């Protein structure tokens, strides 16, 4: 007669345990939800509201876009401006050109670096990966050192044109195309190509009929990511465009800072977000069809020794690698010259607060501010991103919990698709008044940088956490371990290893972040990218030299962080 009571007691204890577990996870989820709601959704909603309600000091003709009324009438009036669509077309056009250039050069590069075998291949792979992690501001200054006034290629007259901006986009994203396409190409089963060749197909026909369809999923995936990066190349446009070429993000900055027309800036931000959403939707559809079309099986493809038939791919890749090295070499050389002579004066002036009247502090102090700000932003991003990764790695059985998890996943990755300039503008709109009044607080910059870095941390940590066999947690629970003990013993090693990598990425991104920071940093607390931008916009020899030297230091620090991250990245076997 005791068995039913014992069974009922066990069932009641199980129910209490389930309820307690659900409450624990709800409480854990509150931290990132509150953080992103306050510092991302609220600024975003405030910006949208401003776009429809009207605001700012800009009246009719006060800005490059022009003033407008409130409500839908104001939105339609701004959208009716010819310049709006010129800027939108220029944004999309340069992004498409940058994407096509990156993919077109990346395909032969992927073949050479992943399907051939030659001495120094690993070193070339590492070199090709460096541009993608360099700060945008440093790269923009590097192209200015190559094509600007008194530069080696000044006679090409590319500064201020869309061509140099597209070239800089390709510089950044070539390595992304190579790293996405190369591993898939290396793993393709070569027998299909061998059969096509045996039937008399030329190498060109074999590529387009057999190899290219199998590579389509990787090509589409790379193109989608590259387009998103190219459409938000804010610093490149600000430095290299010289007012002649512009994008929506650059116009958002101009409307806010130069004309104080917040309404027009908000509408431009909405257009930028719309372009991102359309690009994501189109890429998902293309990726789905490409995946269905790519039916070739993966295998062990032997890497080939370069021969005469590989000369076209080798020539294109070699020329591309020279192109990648040129801006950085020019930047270093220009940083060591002033007035036509070799000197270290540009670097020495970084330590002096009185070296130029364009800054209210020394560049060295701006570097210290950047480091301190980036460390705070990294701490926030790792805490919030780590909690998000732990939550998303779970596989609940209840339907309601699974639906909630999908909704949280959508919320947590949303900042990845919103340009940093839009985030900075949203902060400016929402944090200037009640209830937080953070517009004058030093915390605003690291918080904005953390919002930008959180999705990167999540995407770094989540795959490893999802790879954990859930039975390990179940065994620990059966043995009486509580939630925190399970988290420490089962998830802990993965959280530590991937957390270090995520922290490295977040630190590098925060050190070079310019889009959101350009809205929020004050002259007295300018970060290094903002100080470089201020100096680069002035014609003086001293200011230009200091901008070059500061860019070299920023690039070296960021590249060193990424090299350290790659060096300490655990191998796949170490993670098992």
């Amino acid at each position: 007669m005791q068995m039913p009571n014992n069974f009922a007691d066990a069932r009641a204890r199980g129910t209490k345990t389930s309820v307690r577990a659900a409450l624990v996870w709800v409480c854990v989820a509150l931290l990132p939800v509150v953080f992103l709601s306050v510092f991302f959704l609220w600024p975003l909603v405030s910006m949208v509201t401003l776009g429809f309600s009207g605001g700012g000091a800009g009246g009719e003709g006060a800005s490059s876009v022009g003033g407008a009324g409130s409500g839908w009438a104001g939105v339609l009036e701004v959208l009716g401006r010819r310049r709006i669509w010129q800027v939108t077309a220029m944004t999309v056009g340069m992004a498409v050109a940058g994407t096509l250039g990156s993919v077109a050069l990346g395909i032969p590069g992927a073949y050479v670096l992943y399907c051939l075998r030659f001495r120094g291949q690993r070193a070339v792979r590492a070199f090709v990966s460096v541009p993608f992690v360099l700060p945008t501001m440093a790269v923009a200054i590097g192209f200015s050192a190559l094509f600007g006034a008194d530069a080696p290629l000044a006679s090409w007259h590319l500064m201020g044109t869309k061509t140099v901006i597209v070239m800089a986009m390709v510089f950044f994203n070539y390595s992304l195309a190579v790293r996405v396409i190369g591993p898939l190409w290396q793993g393709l089963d070569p027998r299909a190509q061998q059969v096509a060749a045996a039937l008399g197909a030329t190498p060109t026909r074999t590529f387009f009929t057999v190899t290219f369809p199998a590579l389509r999923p990787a090509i589409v995936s790379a193109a989608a990511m590259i387009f998103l990066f190219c459409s938000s190349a804010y610093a490149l446009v600000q430095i290299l465009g010289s007012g002649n070429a512009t994008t929506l993000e650059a116009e958002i900055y101009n409307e806010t800072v130069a004309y104080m027309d917040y309404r027009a800036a908000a509408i431009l931000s909405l257009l930028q977000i719309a372009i991102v959403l359309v690009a994501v939707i189109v890429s998902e559809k293309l990726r789905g069809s490409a995946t269905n079309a790519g039916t070739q099986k993966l295998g062990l493809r032997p890497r080939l020794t370069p021969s005469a038939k590989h000369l076209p791919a080798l020539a294109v890749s070699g020329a591309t690698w020279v192109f990648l090295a040129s801006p950085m070499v020019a930047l270093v050389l220009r940083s060591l010259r002033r007035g036509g002579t070799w000197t270290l004066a540009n670097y020495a002036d970084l330590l002096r607060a009185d070296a130029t009247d364009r800054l209210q502090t020394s560049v060295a102090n701006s570097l210290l501010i950047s480091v301190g700000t980036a460390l705070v932003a990294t701490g926030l991003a790792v805490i919030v991103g780590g909690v998000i990764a732990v939550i998303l790695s779970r596989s609940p059985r209840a339907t309601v919990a699974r639906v909630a998890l999908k909704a949280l996943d959508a919320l947590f990755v949303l900042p990845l698709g919103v340009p940093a300039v839009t985030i900075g503008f949203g902060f400016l709109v929402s944090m200037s008044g009640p209830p937080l009044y953070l517009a004058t607080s030093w915390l605003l910059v690291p918080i904005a940088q953390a919002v930008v870095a959180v999705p990167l941390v999540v995407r770094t940590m989540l795959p490893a956490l999802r790879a954990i066999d859930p039975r390990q947690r179940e065994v620990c629970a059966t043995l009486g371990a509580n939630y925190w003990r399970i988290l420490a013993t089962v998830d802990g090693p993965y959280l530590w290893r991937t957390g270090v990598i995520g922290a490295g990425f977040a630190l590098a991104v925060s050190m070079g972040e310019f889009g959101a920071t350009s809205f929020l940093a004050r002259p007295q607390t300018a970060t290094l990218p903002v100080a470089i931008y201020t100096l680069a916009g002035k014609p003086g020899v001293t200011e230009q030299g200091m901008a070059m030297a500061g860019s070299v230091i920023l690039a070296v620090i960021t590249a060193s962080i990424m090299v350290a991250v790659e060096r300490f990245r655990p191998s796949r076997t170490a993670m098992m």
Side-chain angles (χ1 to χ4, degrees), residues 47-64:
M47 183 194 66
V48 172
T49 303
L50 182 64
F52 281 90
S53 65
E60 184 69 36
S63 72
S64 61

Side-chain angles (χ1 to χ4, degrees), residues 68 128 156 170 233 252 255 297 304 364 370 389 460 491:
V128 165
W156 291 19
V170 173
I252 293 169
E255 293 298 332
K297 295 181 180 179
L304 306 174
S370 286
T460 301
D491 298 72

Side-chain angles (χ1 to χ4, degrees), residues 370 373-374 377 444-454 510-511 513 516-517 527:
S370 286
T373 301
L444 201 58
V445 173
I447 289 174
Q449 292 180 354
V451 171
V452 174
V454 160
S510 299
M511 281 292 299
E513 206 287 317
T517 308
T527 61

Side-chain angles (χ1 to χ4, degrees), residues 240-258:
L240 303 177
S242 302
N244 300 320
T246 187
T247 60
L248 286 171
E249 284 196 290
E251 287 296 303
I252 293 169
Y253 180 85
N254 293 335
E255 293 298 332
T256 305
V257 176

Side-chain angles (χ1 to χ4, degrees), residues 558-575:
T558 308
S560 300
I561 293 172
M562 298 311 303
V563 168
V565 167
E566 290 297 325
R567 185 178 182 85
F568 291 100
R569 181 190 292 272
S571 64
R572 183 175 180 84
T573 55
M575 291 293 295

